[in-house]
Amino acid sequence: MKVNKRKKRISLLGVYVTVAVAVLLLRALFMQPEITRNKKTIELLQSKIAYEKVRADEVETLKDKVNTDEYIERVAREKLGLVKENEKIFVDAASQ
């Protein structure tokens, strides 16, 4: 009789373990699409972070250039058409 109880307990424990493993496997199977979506989202965000780091470096470089006299003079000449005192301007008549 003791052996019979022991066999029933072992069988019942085997059923519990089997059910638990099956539940875990099914849960993992149903979570796979979400995991894939999250991986794609992570990749997209990482590429955006890399792009923004490059842009931040460009902005920092431009910020350093903007405060120089050479940059201010170049912008004044190109955008505003300003010239230095006693500077002669030559206009190419053929291009007009």
Side-chain angles (χ1 to χ4, degrees), residues 2 6 9 13 15 17-20 31 39 42 45-47 49 60-63 65-66 69 72 78-79 81 84 90:
K2 234 179 185 185
R6 188 179 247 172
R9 281 187 188 171
L13 182 64
V15 169
V17 169
T18 304
V19 169
M31 290 183 74
K39 284 182 181 180
I42 289 170
L45 292 175
Q46 285 175 338
S47 68
I49 289 171
E60 194 65 34
T61 303
L62 184 59
K63 187 176 89 172
K65 285 182 183 178
V66 167
D69 291 338
I72 294 169
E78 291 174 1
K79 305 277 186 203
K84 289 183 178 180
F90 293 96

Side-chain angles (χ1 to χ4, degrees), residues 62 64-79 84:
L62 184 59
D64 292 340
K65 285 182 183 178
V66 167
N67 294 327
T68 62
D69 291 338
E70 293 85 14
Y71 181 81
I72 294 169
E73 182 180 333
R74 184 169 56 92
V75 169
R77 287 176 177 274
E78 291 174 1
K79 305 277 186 203
K84 289 183 178 180

Side-chain angles (χ1 to χ4, degrees), residues 17-30:
V17 169
T18 304
V19 169
V21 168
V23 167
L24 290 175
L25 287 175
L26 285 173
R27 188 170 183 183
L29 182 67
F30 285 118

Side-chain angles (χ1 to χ4, degrees), residues 1-56:
M1 192 182 307
K2 234 179 185 185
V3 177
N4 240 355
K5 269 188 172 179
R6 188 179 247 172
K7 283 185 180 181
K8 284 182 184 180
R9 281 187 188 171
I10 292 174
S11 296
L12 195 56
L13 182 64
V15 169
Y16 287 146
V17 169
T18 304
V19 169
V21 168
V23 167
L24 290 175
L25 287 175
L26 285 173
R27 188 170 183 183
L29 182 67
F30 285 118
M31 290 183 74
Q32 195 60 40
E34 185 177 349
I35 291 170
T36 303
R37 271 194 316 272
N38 289 344
K39 284 182 181 180
K40 287 180 182 178
T41 302
I42 289 170
E43 289 174 7
L44 176 66
L45 292 175
Q46 285 175 338
S47 68
K48 285 183 179 182
I49 289 171
Y51 173 75
E52 291 301 329
K53 282 182 181 179
V54 169
R55 279 193 60 211

